[in-house]
mmCIF file of all heavy atoms in Angstrom:
data_model
loop_
_atom_site.group_PDB
_atom_site.id
_atom_site.type_symbol
_atom_site.label_atom_id
_atom_site.label_comp_id
_atom_site.label_asym_id
_atom_site.label_seq_id
_atom_site.Cartn_x
_atom_site.Cartn_y
_atom_site.Cartn_z
ATOM 1 N N LYS A 22 -7.320 12.296 -11.067
ATOM 2 C CA LYS A 22 -8.405 12.355 -12.139
ATOM 3 C C LYS A 22 -8.102 13.455 -13.108
ATOM 4 O O LYS A 22 -8.331 13.258 -14.370
ATOM 5 C CB LYS A 22 -9.716 12.567 -11.437
ATOM 6 C CG LYS A 22 -10.197 11.413 -10.665
ATOM 7 C CD LYS A 22 -11.581 11.678 -9.977
ATOM 8 C CE LYS A 22 -11.998 10.482 -9.105
ATOM 9 N NZ LYS A 22 -13.184 10.808 -8.387
ATOM 10 N N ILE A 23 -7.637 14.613 -12.656
ATOM 11 C CA ILE A 23 -7.244 15.678 -13.563
ATOM 12 C C ILE A 23 -6.111 15.256 -14.504
ATOM 13 O O ILE A 23 -6.105 15.468 -15.637
ATOM 14 C CB ILE A 23 -6.854 16.951 -12.746
ATOM 15 C CG1 ILE A 23 -8.192 17.539 -12.047
ATOM 16 C CG2 ILE A 23 -6.162 17.977 -13.641
ATOM 17 C CD1 ILE A 23 -7.899 18.620 -11.146
ATOM 18 N N ALA A 24 -5.136 14.565 -13.894
ATOM 19 C CA ALA A 24 -4.027 14.016 -14.720
ATOM 20 C C ALA A 24 -4.559 13.123 -15.802
ATOM 21 O O ALA A 24 -4.028 13.157 -16.983
ATOM 22 C CB ALA A 24 -2.970 13.294 -13.826
ATOM 23 N N ASP A 25 -5.477 12.237 -15.476
ATOM 24 C CA ASP A 25 -6.076 11.325 -16.482
ATOM 25 C C ASP A 25 -6.768 12.159 -17.609
ATOM 26 O O ASP A 25 -6.674 11.737 -18.752
ATOM 27 C CB ASP A 25 -7.067 10.410 -15.806
ATOM 28 C CG ASP A 25 -6.436 9.435 -14.884
ATOM 29 O OD1 ASP A 25 -5.163 9.154 -14.946
ATOM 30 O OD2 ASP A 25 -7.172 8.800 -14.045
ATOM 31 N N ARG A 26 -7.441 13.213 -17.258
ATOM 32 C CA ARG A 26 -8.133 13.973 -18.247
ATOM 33 C C ARG A 26 -7.082 14.681 -19.129
ATOM 34 O O ARG A 26 -7.306 14.836 -20.355
ATOM 35 C CB ARG A 26 -9.051 15.030 -17.640
ATOM 36 C CG ARG A 26 -10.317 14.312 -17.084
ATOM 37 C CD ARG A 26 -11.226 15.200 -16.345
ATOM 38 N NE ARG A 26 -11.746 16.301 -17.220
ATOM 39 C CZ ARG A 26 -12.746 17.138 -16.890
ATOM 40 N NH1 ARG A 26 -13.230 17.123 -15.717
ATOM 41 N NH2 ARG A 26 -13.104 18.080 -17.742
ATOM 42 N N ILE A 27 -5.998 15.160 -18.566
ATOM 43 C CA ILE A 27 -4.957 15.762 -19.393
ATOM 44 C C ILE A 27 -4.406 14.765 -20.374
ATOM 45 O O ILE A 27 -4.233 15.081 -21.528
ATOM 46 C CB ILE A 27 -3.805 16.330 -18.444
ATOM 47 C CG1 ILE A 27 -4.362 17.598 -17.719
ATOM 48 C CG2 ILE A 27 -2.638 16.721 -19.284
ATOM 49 C CD1 ILE A 27 -3.466 18.093 -16.615
ATOM 50 N N ASP A 28 -4.150 13.541 -19.823
ATOM 51 C CA ASP A 28 -3.559 12.505 -20.733
ATOM 52 C C ASP A 28 -4.486 12.079 -21.825
ATOM 53 O O ASP A 28 -4.169 11.874 -22.973
ATOM 54 C CB ASP A 28 -3.160 11.235 -19.935
ATOM 55 C CG ASP A 28 -1.971 11.524 -19.024
ATOM 56 O OD1 ASP A 28 -1.198 12.460 -19.274
ATOM 57 O OD2 ASP A 28 -1.730 10.744 -18.050
ATOM 58 N N ASP A 31 -5.813 15.946 -23.541
ATOM 59 C CA ASP A 31 -4.925 17.135 -23.635
ATOM 60 C C ASP A 31 -5.629 18.371 -23.142
ATOM 61 O O ASP A 31 -5.535 19.453 -23.718
ATOM 62 C CB ASP A 31 -4.397 17.358 -25.036
ATOM 63 C CG ASP A 31 -3.141 18.231 -25.018
ATOM 64 O OD1 ASP A 31 -2.398 18.226 -24.103
ATOM 65 O OD2 ASP A 31 -3.005 18.986 -25.992
ATOM 66 N N GLU A 32 -6.525 18.139 -22.102
ATOM 67 C CA GLU A 32 -7.317 19.174 -21.551
ATOM 68 C C GLU A 32 -6.444 20.202 -20.695
ATOM 69 O O GLU A 32 -5.561 19.872 -20.098
ATOM 70 C CB GLU A 32 -8.365 18.578 -20.673
ATOM 71 C CG GLU A 32 -9.542 19.436 -20.439
ATOM 72 C CD GLU A 32 -10.690 18.669 -19.865
ATOM 73 O OE1 GLU A 32 -10.669 17.402 -19.736
ATOM 74 O OE2 GLU A 32 -11.772 19.303 -19.516
ATOM 75 N N LYS A 33 -6.892 21.465 -20.816
ATOM 76 C CA LYS A 33 -6.202 22.565 -20.065
ATOM 77 C C LYS A 33 -7.055 22.917 -18.871
ATOM 78 O O LYS A 33 -8.293 22.811 -18.912
ATOM 79 C CB LYS A 33 -6.053 23.798 -20.951
ATOM 80 C CG LYS A 33 -5.386 23.482 -22.273
ATOM 81 C CD LYS A 33 -3.942 23.757 -22.207
ATOM 82 C CE LYS A 33 -3.357 23.630 -23.640
ATOM 83 N NZ LYS A 33 -2.183 22.828 -23.615
ATOM 84 N N PHE A 34 -6.405 23.259 -17.737
ATOM 85 C CA PHE A 34 -7.111 23.609 -16.537
ATOM 86 C C PHE A 34 -6.555 24.970 -15.979
ATOM 87 O O PHE A 34 -5.472 25.254 -16.104
ATOM 88 C CB PHE A 34 -6.931 22.578 -15.509
ATOM 89 C CG PHE A 34 -7.619 21.264 -15.710
ATOM 90 C CD1 PHE A 34 -7.070 20.383 -16.503
ATOM 91 C CD2 PHE A 34 -8.900 21.092 -15.217
ATOM 92 C CE1 PHE A 34 -7.779 19.108 -16.755
ATOM 93 C CE2 PHE A 34 -9.585 19.906 -15.480
ATOM 94 C CZ PHE A 34 -8.990 18.951 -16.261
ATOM 95 N N LEU A 35 -7.524 25.728 -15.434
ATOM 96 C CA LEU A 35 -7.217 27.016 -14.796
ATOM 97 C C LEU A 35 -7.505 26.837 -13.331
ATOM 98 O O LEU A 35 -8.619 26.465 -12.908
ATOM 99 C CB LEU A 35 -8.044 28.098 -15.441
ATOM 100 C CG LEU A 35 -7.982 29.509 -14.716
ATOM 101 C CD1 LEU A 35 -6.508 30.080 -14.891
ATOM 102 C CD2 LEU A 35 -8.970 30.424 -15.270
ATOM 103 N N VAL A 36 -6.477 27.161 -12.498
ATOM 104 C CA VAL A 36 -6.687 27.136 -11.065
ATOM 105 C C VAL A 36 -6.674 28.532 -10.542
ATOM 106 O O VAL A 36 -5.669 29.316 -10.830
ATOM 107 C CB VAL A 36 -5.596 26.265 -10.387
ATOM 108 C CG1 VAL A 36 -5.720 26.351 -8.819
ATOM 109 C CG2 VAL A 36 -5.600 24.870 -10.879
ATOM 110 N N LEU A 37 -7.750 28.916 -9.853
ATOM 111 C CA LEU A 37 -7.767 30.292 -9.276
ATOM 112 C C LEU A 37 -7.183 30.240 -7.932
ATOM 113 O O LEU A 37 -7.662 29.576 -7.060
ATOM 114 C CB LEU A 37 -9.229 30.823 -9.276
ATOM 115 C CG LEU A 37 -9.895 30.850 -10.631
ATOM 116 C CD1 LEU A 37 -11.390 31.272 -10.460
ATOM 117 C CD2 LEU A 37 -9.161 31.802 -11.502
ATOM 118 N N LEU A 51 -1.732 19.141 -7.048
ATOM 119 C CA LEU A 51 -1.414 19.050 -8.459
ATOM 120 C C LEU A 51 0.128 18.873 -8.584
ATOM 121 O O LEU A 51 0.542 18.047 -9.390
ATOM 122 C CB LEU A 51 -1.941 20.278 -9.183
ATOM 123 C CG LEU A 51 -3.433 20.430 -9.313
ATOM 124 C CD1 LEU A 51 -3.789 21.796 -9.850
ATOM 125 C CD2 LEU A 51 -4.015 19.267 -10.224
ATOM 126 N N LEU A 55 1.084 15.352 -10.433
ATOM 127 C CA LEU A 55 1.191 15.452 -11.885
ATOM 128 C C LEU A 55 2.691 15.505 -12.278
ATOM 129 O O LEU A 55 3.507 15.949 -11.521
ATOM 130 C CB LEU A 55 0.516 16.769 -12.375
ATOM 131 C CG LEU A 55 -0.995 16.631 -12.660
ATOM 132 C CD1 LEU A 55 -1.732 16.300 -11.402
ATOM 133 C CD2 LEU A 55 -1.508 17.901 -13.241
ATOM 134 N N GLN A 59 2.354 17.110 -17.621
ATOM 135 C CA GLN A 59 0.939 17.345 -17.256
ATOM 136 C C GLN A 59 0.795 18.736 -16.673
ATOM 137 O O GLN A 59 -0.159 19.447 -16.897
ATOM 138 C CB GLN A 59 0.436 16.304 -16.288
ATOM 139 C CG GLN A 59 0.317 14.917 -16.872
ATOM 140 C CD GLN A 59 0.175 13.810 -15.868
ATOM 141 O OE1 GLN A 59 0.585 13.937 -14.738
ATOM 142 N NE2 GLN A 59 -0.532 12.724 -16.275
ATOM 143 N N LEU A 60 1.779 19.163 -15.870
ATOM 144 C CA LEU A 60 1.652 20.514 -15.231
ATOM 145 C C LEU A 60 1.691 21.617 -16.260
ATOM 146 O O LEU A 60 1.197 22.739 -16.002
ATOM 147 C CB LEU A 60 2.767 20.729 -14.233
ATOM 148 C CG LEU A 60 2.626 19.904 -12.885
ATOM 149 C CD1 LEU A 60 3.880 20.047 -12.114
ATOM 150 C CD2 LEU A 60 1.403 20.430 -12.161
ATOM 151 N N GLU A 61 2.188 21.337 -17.451
ATOM 152 C CA GLU A 61 2.217 22.342 -18.511
ATOM 153 C C GLU A 61 0.768 22.700 -18.966
ATOM 154 O O GLU A 61 0.558 23.698 -19.570
ATOM 155 C CB GLU A 61 3.052 21.863 -19.680
ATOM 156 C CG GLU A 61 4.526 21.804 -19.353
ATOM 157 C CD GLU A 61 5.418 21.206 -20.400
ATOM 158 O OE1 GLU A 61 4.891 20.909 -21.556
ATOM 159 O OE2 GLU A 61 6.567 20.969 -20.179
ATOM 160 N N ASN A 62 -0.202 21.812 -18.670
ATOM 161 C CA ASN A 62 -1.608 22.124 -18.980
ATOM 162 C C ASN A 62 -2.365 22.788 -17.856
ATOM 163 O O ASN A 62 -3.587 22.983 -17.896
ATOM 164 C CB ASN A 62 -2.319 20.802 -19.335
ATOM 165 C CG ASN A 62 -1.926 20.219 -20.667
ATOM 166 O OD1 ASN A 62 -0.830 20.304 -21.115
ATOM 167 N ND2 ASN A 62 -2.805 19.645 -21.387
ATOM 168 N N ILE A 63 -1.626 23.219 -16.818
ATOM 169 C CA ILE A 63 -2.259 23.881 -15.690
ATOM 170 C C ILE A 63 -1.860 25.353 -15.753
ATOM 171 O O ILE A 63 -0.629 25.652 -15.793
ATOM 172 C CB ILE A 63 -1.874 23.252 -14.300
ATOM 173 C CG1 ILE A 63 -2.106 21.715 -14.281
ATOM 174 C CG2 ILE A 63 -2.400 23.962 -13.160
ATOM 175 C CD1 ILE A 63 -3.563 21.432 -14.240
ATOM 176 N N THR A 64 -2.758 26.246 -15.635
ATOM 177 C CA THR A 64 -2.476 27.644 -15.504
ATOM 178 C C THR A 64 -2.990 28.095 -14.137
ATOM 179 O O THR A 64 -4.164 27.784 -13.818
ATOM 180 C CB THR A 64 -3.223 28.481 -16.574
ATOM 181 O OG1 THR A 64 -2.743 28.051 -17.834
ATOM 182 C CG2 THR A 64 -2.930 29.991 -16.441
ATOM 183 N N ILE A 65 -2.120 28.793 -13.421
ATOM 184 C CA ILE A 65 -2.489 29.286 -12.065
ATOM 185 C C ILE A 65 -2.758 30.800 -12.196
ATOM 186 O O ILE A 65 -1.828 31.511 -12.664
ATOM 187 C CB ILE A 65 -1.481 28.948 -11.036
ATOM 188 C CG1 ILE A 65 -1.402 27.422 -10.873
ATOM 189 C CG2 ILE A 65 -1.857 29.559 -9.648
ATOM 190 C CD1 ILE A 65 -0.287 26.940 -10.004
#
Side-chain angles (χ1 to χ4, degrees):
K22 288 178 186 176
I23 291 171
D25 290 344
R26 287 177 62 171
I27 290 170
D28 290 340
D31 197 34
E32 201 165 352
K33 308 269 187 226
F34 288 86
L35 173 66
V36 177
L37 301 176
L51 292 170
L55 273 64
Q59 291 166 332
L60 286 171
E61 292 174 6
N62 286 37
I63 305 291
T64 300
I65 299 174

